[in-house]
Amino acid sequence: MTDFDLVLRSRRVITASGEQAGWVGVRSGRIAAVEPFDTPVRAGQIIDLADDEVLLPGLVDTHVHVNEPGRTEWEGFASATRAAAAGGVTTIVDMPLNSIPPTVDVDALRVKRKTADGQVWVDTGFWGGAVPGNVSALRPLHDAGVFGFKCFLLHSGVDEFPHLTAAELDEAMREVAAFDGLLIVHAEDADTIDHAPHEPGAAYADFLRSRPRVAEDVAIAQVIELARRTGCRAHILHLSSADALPMIAAARGEGVRLTVETCPHYLSFTAEEIGEGATQFKCCPPIREADNREQLWQALADGVIDCVVSDHSPCTPELKRLDRGDFAVAWGGIASIQLGLPAIWSGARDRGHTLADVVAWMAERPAELAGLSSKGRIAVGADADFCVFAPDAQFVVDPAVLHHKNPITPYAGRTLTGVVRDTWLRGTRIAERPHGRLISRGES
């Protein structure tokens, strides 16, 4: 008789209670024990990690644009989830837009799930969408298992997913509050951006002026006020403006049900380093100045920003307009799901943060946001999802070895610290075939 199907043993394990030398016992795809390193154990398979490796929980990425069906030439479930697995991510939640149809009713959710079934390398869930005229579809989508509802406060970039007006946002928040759902918001103010200068061309400074910080600040203030008024749980997506941090902190202090994310690109790059025509750096909201970046890092340390997720948003090379280098017409999105962990660890260690901090930002808190109690932590009862990480190893990013469909990346040629050596999903090594599941809100 063996006690466990699998045991992973390491001198460094990042558990729910901190870092320790220990082993993790797995039975039937779940963590059944977490014990000190020298505790005797029997198992069908015992794996000792190398001296330079750390056992982390599998990461949870709640902001991924897969785009399939409809725009599968941009990205697909097989390629996106394989890239996720290579980056130590074992759970993703797919965004409702860029696919056709967008996930704005139960029928569209069925199409999305049918398309994804059998293709996913990691466990995969789905957000629903809140768009003009679909308030009556929100509760059925919630009951069908979406994790919440995404909306835009300005043009989304695709016509089939229109944005909400102030009155429509109020209506959606009241409906979502009625069943204690979650509304996640792309918070940039349409009127502010409409009145900003818009100059075509290769100068990043011109693009930055077209998406000013105040556009985020105005939109976030609106979300805060409506969340306060309606009691709705609200989540600010991909925060890039540090100017919004004081009002976010104040609102949370007053009890407004508000959470906030940022992304690796806002914590890795600065506006000052983006060259002429380098449209691989274009995203919306944009990468801002160095002082802004440092304020985002401080907000993570202070707990004002809850989590770090990829906003993996790929497209075809043609849509990035690399040949023209025109920021005004290039698609805004950065594909980084495979690189998020080393990108964040590279910046975090330079600022005195620990791997336990990174796990909190990229595994524990995204899982909490989505209500995935079995994900994002190494603890008895959780899914046996693991990332084997070598935190001192370095590599130079080569787009040719990335798994997402169109390997355009602003990280190309950048030296990052931290290598994902192995990824396990529910006690099985992710290797040569997809074995992820489609998951729904409320599963544990």
Side-chain angles (χ1 to χ4, degrees):
M1 285 287 291
T2 58
D3 296 322
F4 304 101
D5 305 324
L6 168 72
V7 163
L8 294 173
R9 192 160 49 187
S10 176
R11 292 292 178 183
R12 298 181 66 188
V13 182
I14 307 299
T15 73
S17 56
E19 182 174 325
Q20 65 183 67
W23 55 258
V24 181
V26 176
R27 188 182 298 123
S28 300
R30 295 266 186 160
I31 297 172
V34 181
E35 296 290 339
F37 188 88
D38 293 326
T39 305
V41 63
R42 296 179 302 172
Q45 183 180 22
I46 297 178
I47 294 177
D48 286 293
L49 272 59
D51 290 343
D52 68 336
E53 294 175 342
V54 184
L55 188 65
L56 313 181
L59 305 187
V60 178
D61 193 337
T62 53
H63 196 149
V64 181
H65 293 270
V66 175
N67 305 334
E68 186 179 10
R71 292 188 172 93
T72 311
E73 70 275 15
W74 295 17
E75 186 64 289
F77 282 103
S79 49
T81 58
R82 189 174 186 190
V89 177
T90 52
T91 305
I92 69 165
V93 187
D94 170 62
M95 284 293 167
L97 73 156
N98 298 347
S99 59
I100 302 173
T103 317
V104 295
D105 55 38
V106 172
D107 286 344
L109 176 63
R110 291 192 188 105
V111 170
K112 184 74 73 82
R113 289 179 66 90
K114 182 177 180 181
T115 302
D117 191 27
Q119 292 202 72
V120 294
W121 291 68
V122 302
D123 286 355
T124 301
F126 303 94
W127 296 107
V131 296
N134 86 323
V135 168
S136 64
L138 300 183
R139 187 184 290 265
L141 274 167
H142 177 80
D143 292 342
V146 300
F147 286 86
F149 306 94
K150 181 176 186 177
C151 69
F152 279 74
L153 304 186
L154 80 171
H155 194 280
S156 70
V158 292
D159 292 338
E160 67 273 5
F161 198 95
H163 67 283
L164 301 180
T165 65
E168 289 164 340
L169 178 64
D170 189 353
E171 183 183 21
M173 291 183 87
R174 291 182 187 280
E175 174 66 10
V176 172
F179 50 81
D180 198 30
L182 174 65
L183 191 74
I184 64 175
V185 186
H186 182 125
E188 289 182 283
D189 180 64
D191 186 63
T192 301
I193 288 178
D194 285 345
H195 287 87
H198 290 267
E199 298 292 337
Y204 186 76
D206 288 340
F207 169 63
L208 196 57
R209 281 190 288 271
S210 75
R211 314 288 292 220
R213 297 189 198 190
V214 68
E216 283 189 83
D217 305 338
V218 168
I220 290 169
Q222 180 185 29
V223 172
I224 288 171
E225 178 54 33
L226 288 176
R228 180 185 289 115
R229 189 185 307 168
T230 64
C232 183
R233 289 191 295 136
H235 178 73
I236 302 299
L237 297 165
H238 45 48
L239 179 72
S240 82
S241 171
D243 292 349
L245 292 168
M247 77 171 105
I248 290 168
R252 288 158 63 121
E254 296 164 10
V256 176
R257 303 171 76 192
L258 185 72
T259 50
V260 184
E261 72 184 38
T262 193
C263 304
H265 37 279
Y266 301 127
L267 298 167
S268 297
F269 304 116
T270 66
E272 293 89 340
E273 70 186 281
I274 299 175
E276 293 277 306
T279 53
Q280 65 269 31
F281 288 89
K282 181 179 176 180
C283 55
C284 299
I287 295 162
R288 302 194 187 277
E289 299 84 357
D291 65 329
N292 183 88
R293 177 184 67 178
E294 296 313 308
Q295 291 179 66
L296 295 179
W297 274 108
Q298 188 60 51
L300 264 177
D302 294 342
V304 178
I305 296 175
D306 298 273
C307 55
V308 180
V309 292
S310 69
D311 190 9
H312 179 76
S313 185
C315 66
T316 61
E318 293 77 19
L319 289 173
K320 268 300 185 184
R321 305 296 176 94
L322 296 170
D323 55 338
R324 293 175 55 183
D326 188 342
F327 283 98
V329 297
W331 176 258
I334 288 176
S336 66
I337 194 167
Q338 189 170 335
L339 299 171
L341 176 56
I344 290 301
W345 175 235
S346 296
R349 70 183 297 172
D350 288 346
R351 293 166 176 82
H353 298 295
T354 67
L355 276 173
D357 294 328
V358 174
V359 165
W361 302 332
M362 302 188 76
E364 294 172 8
R365 293 180 192 160
E368 290 170 3
L369 172 72
L372 287 166
S373 60
S374 66
K375 299 292 187 182
R377 59 200 177 94
I378 294 179
V380 173
D383 285 355
D385 299 346
F386 307 116
C387 167
V388 177
F389 189 60
D392 298 321
Q394 291 189 325
F395 69 103
V396 176
V397 176
D398 177 3
V401 302
L402 301 178
H403 291 292
H404 63 266
K405 185 165 288 188
N406 295 289
I408 302 164
T409 174
Y411 293 93
R414 192 177 183 94
T415 299
L416 297 179
T417 301
V419 172
V420 175
R421 296 251 175 93
D422 217 348
T423 311
W424 297 71
L425 178 64
R426 285 177 277 102
T428 299
R429 180 185 274 113
I430 300 176
E432 297 303 323
R433 63 177 182 83
H435 71 276
R437 295 177 180 170
L438 303 184
I439 58 175
S440 297
R441 180 192 50 79
E443 293 183 0
S444 59

